Structures are given as C-alpha cells and as structure tokens.
Amino acid sequence: MILENYYYYFTGVIPEIVCDDIIKTAQQRQERLGATGDMSEEELQSNPDLQRDNSKHRNSYIAWIDDQWVYNEIHPWIQQANINAKWNFDWNRSEACQFTKYKLNQYYHWHEDQGVKPNKEGEIRKLSCTVQLCHPEEYKGGQLQMRTPHGEFTVNEIAPKGSICVFPGFVQHRVTPVTEGIRQSLVIWSLGYPYR
C-alpha cells in the first residue's frame, strides 16, 4: 500500500507529569521479557531455549497497563494523527498498553505489529502508537526507525519526553540497541475490522 505518510508525530505533547505517572503505574505491574510472534509470555518465562531464540529478534522488558486514564490521554492524539496523516482508518478500541523498557544492549529488530490473521474477535492492529516517556539525555541509541517503500527513516522528532509517533500496523519498524542508559516508552495498538 502506497501512502502519503507512513508515520505521523507530535513532539512533546504529553505532559511530563503524565509520563512520570505512566512509569510509576508500570513499576507496580509485573515486569517480564517481551515475547515475539505467537510465543506466549508464560512459555518464554519457563523455557531458556525459547528465551535465546526470542532474544535474537527482541530483547526488552515489558509490563501491561490497561488503566482508562492512560487511554484518555493518548487516544485523542492517535485519532488526530489518523486524520492528519489522511489514513482515516476505522478503529474501535485499543489493546492493553505495553510499557517497554530497553536497558543496555537491548533492542527490537525489524517487525510489523499486525500479523497475517485477525485476532479471535476478527480485528487487526490498524494503528500503532509509541509514546516517549523519558528525556533523550537519559539514554543513547534506542532509536525508533521505520522502513517504507521510500527508504529507512529514524524518527528523531520523538526524542523529547512526551512525544508520540503513530503509524499503520503494517509498517516495518525497529528499535536500535541502547548503548547507554535506559529507554522507556509506551506502545498502544488500536484495533479495527480488516480493510475493505
């Protein structure tokens, strides 16, 4: 699919106090290794071989957040990006938010957020949203990059704390290895029925 915009961003729009509250909320949840593909988190936690295979593609820690106040803060920006970027995708709701922490040498290689098949409710991940929760001087590396038909791009515009990047779930992206410090972000996937 050829698009005019493969991602859309807002720089520093989420107040610092909200970013800090999201981090505090995540710290109260169980931290676990991030899983890829069809691998369940339970399988990953209990199987060292799966952990090794998983870490070839993804190495990060996550926690799940589904507090309504978080959606209230982020959803208007997702919808505004959907309009401004001229995607105008129909979406109904969002999955649980994934707080992600990248420590030294952690990363997430190239991937798409929407798989081949819809979920059990018949929905797909139409929009992905990343919220930057920390200041850029708190880490090095850990860049969000996009791969589109026009080339690969680093989304430098979302380095400031409280910045947001929204993109279609089929756009390939990655987070490069963190070389110093800790990168903290929030990811939200907004769902809708398949394209018609």
Side-chain angles (χ1 to χ4, degrees):
M1 182 182 296
I2 302 300
L3 302 173
E4 182 178 340
N5 297 291
Y6 286 88
Y7 62 91
Y8 198 90
Y9 64 87
F10 302 97
T11 301
V13 292
I14 303 300
E16 286 201 25
I17 190 169
V18 174
C19 294
D20 294 342
D21 284 346
I22 292 171
I23 292 172
K24 287 176 191 171
T25 301
Q27 289 170 342
Q28 297 167 4
R29 309 295 160 88
Q30 180 183 0
E31 186 179 90
R32 55 187 69 202
L33 285 171
T36 58
D38 295 329
M39 198 178 307
S40 76
E41 292 175 359
E42 290 72 25
E43 289 175 317
L44 185 62
Q45 298 300 330
S46 62
N47 188 324
D49 291 333
L50 284 179
Q51 288 179 24
R52 272 193 301 278
D53 289 344
N54 188 73
S55 69
K56 292 174 185 174
H57 189 68
R58 178 183 193 180
N59 186 0
S60 62
Y61 292 95
I62 65 167
W64 296 103
I65 301 173
D66 60 0
D67 298 50
Q68 187 59 47
W69 67 267
V70 177
Y71 297 114
N72 293 345
E73 291 286 345
I74 310 301
H75 274 170
W77 297 105
I78 295 173
Q79 186 54 26
Q80 193 60 54
N82 190 29
I83 294 166
N84 292 0
K86 301 176 185 171
W87 302 317
N88 297 309
F89 296 155
D90 290 325
W91 60 282
N92 309 314
R93 64 182 181 92
S94 294
E95 293 181 48
C97 307
Q98 182 179 270
F99 170 81
T100 310
K101 184 187 292 183
Y102 293 93
K103 300 179 181 179
L104 182 64
N105 297 323
Q106 292 189 314
Y107 53 85
Y108 200 158
H109 289 317
W110 291 112
H111 66 285
E112 299 170 2
D113 290 336
Q114 172 52 45
V116 176
K117 297 179 181 178
N119 65 18
K120 60 184 179 183
E121 287 82 25
E123 301 164 318
I124 62 173
R125 289 176 171 173
K126 286 195 169 176
L127 293 168
S128 297
C129 173
T130 298
V131 183
Q132 178 75 349
L133 298 176
C134 54
H135 291 291
E137 60 269 17
E138 293 180 39
Y139 67 95
K140 292 182 180 175
Q143 295 176 313
L144 175 64
Q145 297 183 332
M146 302 283 173
R147 180 184 281 164
T148 78
H150 305 295
E152 295 178 7
F153 304 91
T154 298
V155 190
N156 293 314
E157 298 88 353
I158 67 159
K161 185 172 183 172
S163 299
I164 293 177
C165 182
V166 182
F167 52 95
F170 54 77
V171 173
Q172 282 198 330
H173 57 287
R174 70 175 176 181
V175 175
T176 63
V178 168
T179 58
E180 186 178 305
I182 297 175
R183 178 186 188 267
Q184 298 180 94
S185 62
L186 188 75
V187 177
I188 302 176
W189 301 285
S190 296
L191 307 174
Y193 293 110
Y195 306 107
R196 290 180 284 180

mmCIF file of all heavy atoms in Angstrom, residues 3 7 20 39 41 44 73 95 111 171 176 185-186 188 196:
data_model
loop_
_atom_site.group_PDB
_atom_site.id
_atom_site.type_symbol
_atom_site.label_atom_id
_atom_site.label_comp_id
_atom_site.label_asym_id
_atom_site.label_seq_id
_atom_site.Cartn_x
_atom_site.Cartn_y
_atom_site.Cartn_z
ATOM 1 N N LEU A 3 1.407 5.082 0.631
ATOM 2 C CA LEU A 3 0.799 6.117 1.453
ATOM 3 C C LEU A 3 1.539 7.433 1.299
ATOM 4 O O LEU A 3 2.741 7.448 1.001
ATOM 5 C CB LEU A 3 0.833 5.710 2.932
ATOM 6 C CG LEU A 3 0.154 4.406 3.325
ATOM 7 C CD1 LEU A 3 0.432 4.096 4.782
ATOM 8 C CD2 LEU A 3 -1.348 4.484 3.076
ATOM 9 N N TYR A 7 4.207 7.566 8.830
ATOM 10 C CA TYR A 7 4.091 7.806 10.258
ATOM 11 C C TYR A 7 3.751 9.267 10.460
ATOM 12 O O TYR A 7 3.936 10.107 9.570
ATOM 13 C CB TYR A 7 5.371 7.425 11.008
ATOM 14 C CG TYR A 7 6.614 8.194 10.622
ATOM 15 C CD1 TYR A 7 6.971 9.370 11.283
ATOM 16 C CD2 TYR A 7 7.461 7.731 9.625
ATOM 17 C CE1 TYR A 7 8.113 10.073 10.947
ATOM 18 C CE2 TYR A 7 8.605 8.423 9.281
ATOM 19 C CZ TYR A 7 8.936 9.591 9.944
ATOM 20 O OH TYR A 7 10.062 10.285 9.605
ATOM 21 N N ASP A 20 5.490 10.560 33.815
ATOM 22 C CA ASP A 20 6.003 10.026 35.082
ATOM 23 C C ASP A 20 4.973 9.119 35.754
ATOM 24 O O ASP A 20 5.328 8.082 36.330
ATOM 25 C CB ASP A 20 6.400 11.163 36.019
ATOM 26 C CG ASP A 20 7.583 11.964 35.498
ATOM 27 O OD1 ASP A 20 8.313 11.457 34.613
ATOM 28 O OD2 ASP A 20 7.778 13.099 35.966
ATOM 29 N N MET A 39 4.534 -16.677 20.378
ATOM 30 C CA MET A 39 5.089 -17.172 21.624
ATOM 31 C C MET A 39 4.377 -16.510 22.813
ATOM 32 O O MET A 39 4.249 -15.292 22.857
ATOM 33 C CB MET A 39 6.584 -16.822 21.665
ATOM 34 C CG MET A 39 7.390 -17.605 22.651
ATOM 35 S SD MET A 39 9.134 -17.131 22.541
ATOM 36 C CE MET A 39 9.485 -17.342 20.812
ATOM 37 N N GLU A 41 3.940 -15.337 26.749
ATOM 38 C CA GLU A 41 4.868 -14.863 27.776
ATOM 39 C C GLU A 41 5.181 -15.971 28.776
ATOM 40 O O GLU A 41 6.300 -16.068 29.268
ATOM 41 C CB GLU A 41 4.286 -13.644 28.485
ATOM 42 C CG GLU A 41 4.197 -12.438 27.575
ATOM 43 C CD GLU A 41 3.506 -11.257 28.222
ATOM 44 O OE1 GLU A 41 3.075 -11.366 29.380
ATOM 45 O OE2 GLU A 41 3.413 -10.209 27.560
ATOM 46 N N LEU A 44 7.726 -18.298 27.316
ATOM 47 C CA LEU A 44 9.024 -17.628 27.278
ATOM 48 C C LEU A 44 9.691 -17.620 28.651
ATOM 49 O O LEU A 44 10.882 -17.895 28.772
ATOM 50 C CB LEU A 44 8.845 -16.198 26.771
ATOM 51 C CG LEU A 44 10.111 -15.377 26.552
ATOM 52 C CD1 LEU A 44 10.991 -16.025 25.490
ATOM 53 C CD2 LEU A 44 9.744 -13.957 26.141
ATOM 54 N N GLU A 73 -5.650 9.940 27.847
ATOM 55 C CA GLU A 73 -4.554 10.858 27.492
ATOM 56 C C GLU A 73 -4.067 10.651 26.063
ATOM 57 O O GLU A 73 -3.725 11.614 25.371
ATOM 58 C CB GLU A 73 -3.371 10.674 28.457
ATOM 59 C CG GLU A 73 -3.618 11.140 29.870
ATOM 60 C CD GLU A 73 -3.607 12.656 30.003
ATOM 61 O OE1 GLU A 73 -3.135 13.350 29.072
ATOM 62 O OE2 GLU A 73 -4.060 13.144 31.055
ATOM 63 N N GLU A 95 -5.792 -2.325 22.456
ATOM 64 C CA GLU A 95 -5.361 -3.411 23.332
ATOM 65 C C GLU A 95 -4.761 -2.815 24.601
ATOM 66 O O GLU A 95 -4.571 -1.601 24.710
ATOM 67 C CB GLU A 95 -4.292 -4.257 22.635
ATOM 68 C CG GLU A 95 -4.793 -5.029 21.441
ATOM 69 C CD GLU A 95 -3.694 -5.864 20.821
ATOM 70 O OE1 GLU A 95 -2.984 -6.578 21.570
ATOM 71 O OE2 GLU A 95 -3.535 -5.795 19.592
ATOM 72 N N HIS A 111 10.193 -5.455 12.418
ATOM 73 C CA HIS A 111 8.961 -6.220 12.556
ATOM 74 C C HIS A 111 7.765 -5.348 12.189
ATOM 75 O O HIS A 111 7.890 -4.134 12.055
ATOM 76 C CB HIS A 111 8.802 -6.744 13.995
ATOM 77 C CG HIS A 111 8.600 -5.654 15.003
ATOM 78 N ND1 HIS A 111 9.620 -4.841 15.437
ATOM 79 C CD2 HIS A 111 7.476 -5.226 15.650
ATOM 80 C CE1 HIS A 111 9.152 -3.976 16.317
ATOM 81 N NE2 HIS A 111 7.849 -4.175 16.457
ATOM 82 N N VAL A 171 3.413 -1.150 8.886
ATOM 83 C CA VAL A 171 4.690 -0.503 8.574
ATOM 84 C C VAL A 171 5.807 -1.161 9.394
ATOM 85 O O VAL A 171 5.710 -1.288 10.614
ATOM 86 C CB VAL A 171 4.634 1.011 8.872
ATOM 87 C CG1 VAL A 171 6.012 1.648 8.707
ATOM 88 C CG2 VAL A 171 3.621 1.689 7.959
ATOM 89 N N THR A 176 16.651 0.405 17.682
ATOM 90 C CA THR A 176 18.065 0.039 17.634
ATOM 91 C C THR A 176 18.594 -0.214 19.051
ATOM 92 O O THR A 176 17.993 0.240 20.026
ATOM 93 C CB THR A 176 18.901 1.133 16.953
ATOM 94 O OG1 THR A 176 18.818 2.340 17.742
ATOM 95 C CG2 THR A 176 18.402 1.401 15.535
ATOM 96 N N SER A 185 9.264 3.596 27.101
ATOM 97 C CA SER A 185 8.219 4.051 26.185
ATOM 98 C C SER A 185 6.939 3.277 26.456
ATOM 99 O O SER A 185 6.934 2.273 27.179
ATOM 100 C CB SER A 185 8.664 3.856 24.729
ATOM 101 O OG SER A 185 8.881 2.483 24.463
ATOM 102 N N LEU A 186 5.863 3.753 25.865
ATOM 103 C CA LEU A 186 4.569 3.088 25.946
ATOM 104 C C LEU A 186 4.098 2.831 24.526
ATOM 105 O O LEU A 186 4.171 3.717 23.672
ATOM 106 C CB LEU A 186 3.557 3.986 26.675
ATOM 107 C CG LEU A 186 2.218 3.313 27.001
ATOM 108 C CD1 LEU A 186 2.390 2.356 28.184
ATOM 109 C CD2 LEU A 186 1.160 4.364 27.325
ATOM 110 N N ILE A 188 0.832 1.437 22.171
ATOM 111 C CA ILE A 188 -0.602 1.155 22.138
ATOM 112 C C ILE A 188 -0.981 0.738 20.720
ATOM 113 O O ILE A 188 -0.593 1.401 19.759
ATOM 114 C CB ILE A 188 -1.426 2.397 22.538
ATOM 115 C CG1 ILE A 188 -1.042 2.881 23.936
ATOM 116 C CG2 ILE A 188 -2.919 2.089 22.485
ATOM 117 C CD1 ILE A 188 -1.750 4.154 24.348
ATOM 118 N N ARG A 196 -11.463 -2.847 3.851
ATOM 119 C CA ARG A 196 -12.412 -3.282 2.822
ATOM 120 C C ARG A 196 -12.207 -2.471 1.554
ATOM 121 O O ARG A 196 -11.738 -1.360 1.601
ATOM 122 C CB ARG A 196 -13.847 -3.054 3.311
ATOM 123 C CG ARG A 196 -14.207 -4.014 4.432
ATOM 124 C CD ARG A 196 -15.610 -3.785 4.920
ATOM 125 N NE ARG A 196 -15.670 -2.599 5.761
ATOM 126 C CZ ARG A 196 -16.774 -2.144 6.348
ATOM 127 N NH1 ARG A 196 -17.906 -2.767 6.134
ATOM 128 N NH2 ARG A 196 -16.769 -1.096 7.112
#
